[in-house]
Amino acid sequence: MTNSKLRFRPALSKMKAYVPGEQPQGGKFIKLNTNENPYPPAPAVVEAIRAAADSRLERYPDPVGSSFRRMAAQRLGLPGPEWILCGNGSDEILTILVRGFLSDGDLLRMPTPSYILYRTLAEIQGARCEEISFNADWTLPAAFSSPDGDPRLTLLPNPNSPSGTVLSPQAVAEIAAPLPCPLVVDEAYGDFAEENCIDLVKQHENILVTRTLSKSYSLAGLRFGFLVAQPHVITELTKIKDSYNCDAIAIAAATAAIAASDWQTENRAKILATRERAKGKLRELGFDVLDSAANFLWCTHPDRALKPIYESLKENQVLVRYMDYAGWGDGLRITIGTDAQIDAALVVLARLLQSDA
Amino acid sequence: MTNSKLRFRPALSKMKAYVPGEQPQGGKFIKLNTNENPYPPAPAVVEAIRAAADSRLERYPDPVGSSFRRMAAQRLGLPGPEWILCGNGSDEILTILVRGFLSDGDLLRMPTPSYILYRTLAEIQGARCEEISFNADWTLPAAFSSPDGDPRLTLLPNPNSPSGTVLSPQAVAEIAAPLPCPLVVDEAYGDFAEENCIDLVKQHENILVTRTLSKSYSLAGLRFGFLVAQPHVITELTKIKDSYNCDAIAIAAATAAIAASDWQTENRAKILATRERAKGKLRELGFDVLDSAANFLWCTHPDRALKPIYESLKENQVLVRYMDYAGWGDGLRITIGTDAQIDAALVVLARLLQSDA
C-alpha cells in the first residue's frame, strides 16, 4: 500500500490468500478434485428450494435456523436443538471457532498433512499455528495432545484429508483428555465413515464436532454446515456470527436434506462401492493407495513422478488434486465420482502410465 | 466458564450479543420494525432461484460471484467487476472490513445515533469504538473527520438509521479527506435516496461503499450484499472471506435482481409515495417526523412517552422499532410498508393517542 490511509492489519498484509481447488466454470472436466458428491441432492431438497423461493424472501430469515436445528438434533440423537449452531458452510463454523478462541499470537494446533485452510484461518486472525506430523501409520503422536505451548484451539479433521484415514472415537477421546483447549473434530467426511464423534460431545465439554452438507448431502453449492457442541458453548459462539448468517432458502433446503436420510444413505453406498473398486484398480496400476473412510483416495507411487500425471490428467479433462506436503512428499487426491467418471479417469491413467513406462 | 479448557477470547466473554429487531416466526403482525421491503422480489428472481435449484447444487459455487459482479458493475457504472466484493449480506461485508482494518485495541469511529451493530462488530474484534454525536441538524461535526485518536476505520451509514437523514456526496468527500483511514459509506438504504457515493469511490481510494439487496431489492431472506472499492482494496479484503461465501442460488438470484432494475424502480416509487403520505399523517397526529431519504421514518413526540406507544402498537399486532440513544432520547422508527399496512398502523396510532389524551 502506498497510501497510508489504507492500513490493513499487519497479519493480513503478510499472508497469502487460501487457494481452494480449481472450480472451472466452463469446459467438460471430469471433476475429481474438490470432493464433491457426484450425485444430485434429494428431490425433496429441490422441492424445498422451490417452495422457499415463493415464501416471502423480502423478510429476514430465522436468525438461528430453528427448523434445521430441530431436525438435525433428532436425526443425530442429540438432546435438543440448542446443541447445534448453523453456519454458512462449515468454513464459516471454522472461522467462528478461530475468532472465538484465538487472540493475536495465540496458538492453534493442527495435524499435518491435513486441511491447509486451518493455517490460513490462523493467519487471518493473527494467531500462531503449530503443525504436528501424523505418525507413519496415520495415528497421532502424544505431542498432539500435550498442553505444552498452551494451545487455545486444536483442529482435527476426521476422516482426515488428504489421507482419508480415520481415528476411532476412543482415540479422539484420548486426544481430548490431556488437551487444555477445545478439540474440534472436523467431520466434513464423517458421513462416509463407519463411526463418528457426535456422542463424545455429550460427555466431553471440550470436544466439538463440525459437519457440512456439502459432501454427503450433495449441497456444496448451497453453503450449509453446522457445529455440534454443548449448549453453553453454542450460546457463546452465537455472539460472533452475523445476525442472519444462513439464508431462508439454505435453511429450508438443509432441513429437507437432513430429513431425507434415505437418499443420503443410498448415495453413500454407491460412493463406497465405487471407492473400493477404484482402490483395487489404482493398486493394480502400481499406486500406493491408503484405505479410505471418506469419498476420496490418497494415491502415491513408488517410482513415478506425480505432478506430471496430474498435469496430463488435466490435459485429458480429468481434474484431480495434486498436493505436496513438506516432509511427506506429494500425492494425488482423487475424489470418488460416478462409476463412469472413475472408469474414464482410470482409462486415461492407464494410458499415461503405459505410454511413459 | 468453570472449565479452563474453554477459554473464549476475553473480548468475547465481556460483550453482550447484538440483538436484531424482532422476527416473529408466527402471528399476524404488521411488521414495520426491520426496514424490510413490503413488496416481493422481481418474478425474474424467483425464476432464477428455481433454475438454480436444478443446476448441479452438488458442485461448489463460483467463489467470487462473477455473474453478479459483471452485472452490478454495468448497472452502477463501474469500470469493471474487480471493483466489487460479494458478501453473504452486507453484514458479512462489514465483518470483513472490521477484520481487515482493526487489530486488538485499534479505534473504530462511527456516528451516533446510528447503526448499533457497528459497536458489536468492534467488540467482537477487540477494537475500541468512538461514537461521535451528530449535530442537531444531522450533519457531522469536524471531530468526525479528525485524525485525532488515530482511527483505523470509520463507518458512516448514509442514509443514516434511525434518522433517515442523508449527507450529500460532497459532504461525504469532505469528511473523507482529512481522515487517516478508510471511510465506509454504508448505503444499505442508498437506493431510496436521490444521490449516492458510488462515483466517489473512483476518485478516492479511502472511500468504500457497502450495499445490500435486503431492502431495495426485497431480498432480506436471501442474504446478499456487496462492497464497492478500488480493485487493490477488493483484492486484499478477498483474503479474509470464506472461500465460498455466497451460495450458487444467492448469486443467481442477486444477479437477476440487479438486472431487473424496473421492478426495483417501481417499488421504490411506491414506497416513497407511501412514505411522504405517512409523514404528513404522523405529523398531523402530533409527532415530530424527520424528512427521510430511506424506507422508514424516525418519529419523536413533544409530550408523549414513546415506549408505551410502541408497546400498545405491539399489543395491536403492529411491530415498529423503539430505540433509545444516550444523550438523544428515544423514538420510534417506522418502516414504510404497503399503503394498507401503513393505514392500519395509523388507525391504531390515532386511537392510542386519542384514548390516552
Side-chain angles (χ1 to χ4, degrees):
Chain A
M1 289 308 109
T2 52
N3 188 320
S4 68
K5 292 192 176 201
L6 291 166
R7 293 171 290 172
F8 291 100
R9 283 177 46 237
L12 199 64
S13 302
K14 275 184 291 189
M15 65 170 278
K16 284 201 178 144
Y18 174 73
V19 181
E22 299 162 85
Q23 304 292 355
Q25 299 296 311
K28 288 191 191 284
F29 284 97
I30 294 179
K31 202 168 169 301
L32 307 175
N33 68 327
T34 52
N35 297 343
E36 288 141 323
N37 197 308
Y39 303 107
V45 172
V46 177
E47 274 314 301
I49 294 170
R50 291 173 163 269
D54 289 323
S55 67
R56 313 210 66 182
L57 285 179
E58 67 272 23
R59 292 286 178 89
Y60 280 100
D62 176 358
V64 294
S66 305
S67 63
F68 178 83
R69 295 171 93 194
R70 278 193 301 269
M71 183 59 72
Q74 187 192 310
R75 284 282 185 263
L76 297 171
L78 291 164
E82 68 276 14
W83 291 66
I84 289 173
L85 174 65
C86 299
N88 183 40
S90 61
D91 276 0
E92 190 198 27
I93 296 292
L94 293 169
T95 294
I96 288 172
L97 287 163
V98 165
R99 297 179 71 205
F101 289 104
L102 297 168
S103 294
D104 228 39
D106 281 350
L107 189 69
L108 171 76
R109 182 175 290 165
M110 60 178 282
T112 184
S114 186
Y115 190 21
I116 48 180
L117 174 72
Y118 299 160
R119 172 172 280 279
T120 307
L121 294 177
E123 284 173 355
I124 295 171
Q125 186 69 357
R128 290 174 297 129
C129 193
E130 179 187 32
E131 296 184 350
I132 305 274
S133 191
F134 275 104
N135 297 319
D137 66 353
W138 297 92
T139 60
L140 282 163
F144 194 77
S145 317
S146 165
D148 292 355
D150 194 24
R152 296 302 183 108
L153 185 67
T154 298
L155 299 177
L156 175 65
N158 197 52
N160 185 51
S161 168
S163 61
T165 52
V166 68
L167 300 173
S168 70
Q170 192 191 326
V172 170
E174 284 166 13
I175 288 168
L179 274 174
C181 69
L183 175 66
V184 176
V185 187
D186 181 344
E187 292 192 349
Y189 304 102
D191 284 323
F192 298 106
E194 303 302 320
E195 295 182 294
N196 65 63
C197 294
I198 297 278
D199 281 343
L200 292 183
V201 177
K202 298 183 208 163
Q203 273 83 50
H204 304 271
E205 189 185 43
N206 77 322
I207 297 183
L208 287 60
V209 171
T210 64
R211 288 281 180 99
T212 175
L213 301 202
S214 294
K215 317 291 185 181
S216 54
Y217 289 90
S218 306
L219 285 171
L222 190 78
R223 318 310 305 130
F224 201 94
F226 60 99
L227 175 71
V228 180
Q230 294 195 5
H232 63 285
V233 181
I234 299 289
T235 300
E236 198 67 8
L237 292 172
T238 300
K239 287 181 183 176
I240 300 173
K241 79 174 189 68
D242 289 331
S243 304
Y244 305 102
N245 61 326
C246 296
D247 71 63
I249 291 173
I251 293 169
T255 306
I258 204 156
S261 49
D262 285 357
W263 183 266
Q264 188 258 326
T265 306
E266 278 170 39
N267 285 342
R268 174 188 188 274
K270 283 192 274 187
I271 290 166
L272 265 52
T274 307
R275 182 186 73 198
E276 293 311 298
R277 199 170 62 80
K279 185 172 72 181
K281 297 277 187 189
L282 287 161
R283 285 177 177 166
E284 283 172 26
L285 289 173
F287 287 100
D288 290 324
V289 188
L290 285 175
D291 286 328
S292 169
N295 67 336
F296 53 83
L297 292 167
W298 179 239
C299 310
T300 55
H301 199 286
D303 46 43
R304 297 294 291 260
L306 293 166
K307 193 158 193 190
I309 295 179
Y310 154 77
E311 284 162 353
S312 297
L313 280 169
K314 190 172 172 182
E315 280 164 24
N316 285 276
Q317 306 286 302
V318 177
L319 266 187
V320 302
R321 192 83 180 259
Y322 171 79
M323 288 160 144
D324 192 4
Y325 295 91
W328 278 79
D330 58 357
L332 301 178
R333 195 192 65 185
I334 303 178
T335 302
I336 302 305
T338 61
D339 277 317
Q341 289 174 321
I342 289 293
D343 286 343
L346 287 166
V347 166
V348 178
L349 267 178
R351 202 174 61 217
L352 289 176
L353 289 164
Q354 190 86 38
S355 64
D356 301 345
Chain B
M1 288 307 112
T2 51
N3 189 321
S4 69
K5 292 190 174 201
L6 291 166
R7 292 170 293 171
F8 291 101
R9 282 176 47 237
L12 198 66
S13 301
K14 274 185 291 189
M15 65 169 280
K16 283 200 178 143
Y18 174 74
V19 181
E22 299 161 85
Q23 303 293 357
Q25 298 299 311
K28 288 189 190 284
F29 283 97
I30 294 178
K31 200 165 169 305
L32 308 174
N33 69 325
T34 52
N35 297 343
E36 288 141 325
N37 197 307
Y39 302 108
V45 172
V46 177
E47 275 315 300
I49 293 170
R50 290 172 165 271
D54 289 323
S55 66
R56 313 210 66 181
L57 286 178
E58 67 272 22
R59 292 284 177 92
Y60 280 100
D62 176 359
V64 294
S66 305
S67 64
F68 178 83
R69 295 171 92 193
R70 279 194 300 269
M71 182 60 71
Q74 187 191 312
R75 284 281 184 264
L76 297 171
L78 292 164
E82 67 278 13
W83 291 66
I84 289 174
L85 173 66
C86 299
N88 182 40
S90 62
D91 276 1
E92 190 198 27
I93 296 292
L94 293 168
T95 294
I96 287 171
L97 287 162
V98 165
R99 297 179 70 204
F101 290 105
L102 298 167
S103 294
D104 228 39
D106 280 351
L107 190 69
L108 170 76
R109 184 175 287 165
M110 60 178 282
T112 183
S114 187
Y115 190 21
I116 48 179
L117 173 73
Y118 298 161
R119 172 172 280 281
T120 306
L121 294 178
E123 285 173 354
I124 294 171
Q125 186 70 356
R128 289 173 301 129
C129 192
E130 178 187 32
E131 297 184 350
I132 306 273
S133 191
F134 275 105
N135 297 319
D137 66 353
W138 296 92
T139 60
L140 282 163
F144 194 78
S145 316
S146 165
D148 292 355
D150 194 24
R152 296 302 183 107
L153 185 69
T154 298
L155 299 177
L156 175 65
N158 198 51
N160 185 50
S161 168
S163 63
T165 53
V166 69
L167 301 173
S168 70
Q170 193 191 326
V172 169
E174 286 167 10
I175 289 168
L179 274 175
C181 67
L183 175 66
V184 176
V185 187
D186 180 345
E187 292 193 348
Y189 305 102
D191 284 322
F192 298 106
E194 301 304 319
E195 295 182 294
N196 65 62
C197 294
I198 297 279
D199 281 343
L200 293 183
V201 176
K202 296 182 211 165
Q203 274 83 50
H204 304 271
E205 189 186 44
N206 76 322
I207 297 183
L208 287 60
V209 171
T210 64
R211 287 282 180 98
T212 175
L213 300 202
S214 294
K215 318 289 187 183
S216 54
Y217 288 90
S218 306
L219 285 171
L222 191 78
R223 318 310 305 130
F224 200 94
F226 60 99
L227 176 71
V228 180
Q230 294 194 5
H232 63 284
V233 181
I234 300 289
T235 300
E236 197 68 9
L237 291 172
T238 300
K239 288 182 183 175
I240 301 174
K241 81 174 188 69
D242 290 330
S243 306
Y244 306 101
N245 61 327
C246 295
D247 70 64
I249 291 174
I251 293 168
T255 306
I258 204 154
S261 49
D262 286 356
W263 182 267
Q264 189 257 327
T265 306
E266 279 171 38
N267 285 341
R268 174 187 187 273
K270 284 192 273 186
I271 289 166
L272 265 52
T274 307
R275 181 186 73 196
E276 294 311 297
R277 200 170 61 78
K279 184 171 72 178
K281 296 279 186 185
L282 287 162
R283 285 176 177 167
E284 282 173 25
L285 289 173
F287 287 99
D288 290 326
V289 187
L290 286 174
D291 285 331
S292 170
N295 67 336
F296 54 83
L297 293 166
W298 179 239
C299 309
T300 55
H301 200 284
D303 45 45
R304 298 294 292 262
L306 293 166
K307 193 157 192 192
I309 294 178
Y310 155 75
E311 284 162 354
S312 297
L313 280 170
K314 191 171 172 183
E315 281 164 24
N316 285 276
Q317 307 286 302
V318 178
L319 265 187
V320 302
R321 192 84 179 258
Y322 170 80
M323 289 162 143
D324 191 3
Y325 293 91
W328 278 79
D330 58 359
L332 302 179
R333 194 192 66 185
I334 303 178
T335 303
I336 302 304
T338 61
D339 278 317
Q341 288 175 323
I342 289 293
D343 286 342
L346 286 166
V347 167
V348 178
L349 267 178
R351 202 172 63 217
L352 289 176
L353 290 164
Q354 190 86 38
S355 64
D356 303 344

